Amino acid sequence: MQNKSVKFAIFTIIYWALRIPLLSKGFGLDSDSWRIVRAGQYILSTGKYQMSRFPGYPFTEYITAFLVKFHSVFLINFVFALFGFGLCLILWNIIDKHFAIDKKIGFWIIMALSVFTPFYSATVESIDYIPSLFFAFLALWVFLEKTTTTTPE
């Protein structure tokens, strides 16, 4: 248990140390991030739903609408980075508990994921697929927890 706590602390420090300096720099170069923020601003100002792009991503757009009222780029990007952090922890648990023969591999996989360029850039801007991945992996984790039976040793 001690070893996993140390790994968790290392992962947490590295994950946030790489992201916090960038969270207040704007919504990134991806036009989808800007569309999500504009949709959130529209929802906040009118009370009517507007999709950022077809087919629409209501969860992300409503979360952004709630956060936009605080006028904080950092806060909006932090929430999306938090979804990425949660995604990594869920994936670590799934790998270690259900798929890994060696318990060290889950830590190294999430470390690699956290610095993988597409994932890294998506977790420092308000892009919609990070919350989507979070909930997809959360559903997988819940499914595995409910259906996996343990055999007594």
Side-chain angles (χ1 to χ4, degrees):
M1 191 60 146
Q2 172 87 12
N3 193 20
K4 188 144 185 173
S5 298
V6 170
K7 287 179 181 178
F8 173 77
I10 291 169
F11 172 71
T12 301
I13 290 167
I14 291 172
Y15 184 90
W16 290 110
L18 291 173
R19 283 162 178 80
I20 286 178
L22 299 175
L23 295 178
S24 61
K25 301 295 183 193
F27 298 114
L29 297 175
D30 193 327
S31 60
D32 289 345
S33 297
W34 289 92
R35 285 187 197 112
I36 290 167
V37 172
R38 279 195 300 261
Q41 290 169 333
Y42 181 84
I43 292 167
L44 180 66
S45 66
T46 65
K48 297 177 185 173
Y49 175 73
Q50 176 182 344
M51 66 178 118
S52 56
R53 60 198 185 287
F54 187 77
Y57 302 90
F59 176 79
T60 305
E61 292 150 354
Y62 278 114
I63 288 291
T64 305
F66 172 76
L67 297 171
V68 154
K69 67 182 172 186
F70 298 106
H71 304 288
S72 172
V73 171
F74 179 87
L75 180 62
I76 293 169
N77 289 337
F78 177 77
V79 168
F80 284 83
L82 201 56
F83 277 115
F85 184 73
L87 168 63
C88 288
L89 297 181
I90 290 168
L91 182 60
W92 187 4
N93 183 280
I94 289 170
I95 292 167
D96 276 359
K97 198 167 183 183
H98 300 283
F99 297 106
I101 295 168
D102 181 0
K103 294 295 181 188
K104 296 175 192 168
I105 195 76
F107 172 74
W108 291 110
I109 288 173
I110 66 158
M111 288 299 291
L113 174 64
S114 72
V115 296
F116 179 56
T117 306
F119 183 81
Y120 176 76
S121 65
T123 57
V124 295
E125 57 189 31
S126 55
I127 196 70
D128 54 3
Y129 60 81
I130 294 300
S132 300
L133 283 173
F134 170 81
F135 286 113
F137 275 87
L138 180 64
L140 175 63
W141 177 74
V142 168
F143 173 77
L144 289 171
E145 290 295 310
K146 297 286 184 188
T147 59
T148 305
T149 57
T150 56
T151 57
E153 296 180 22

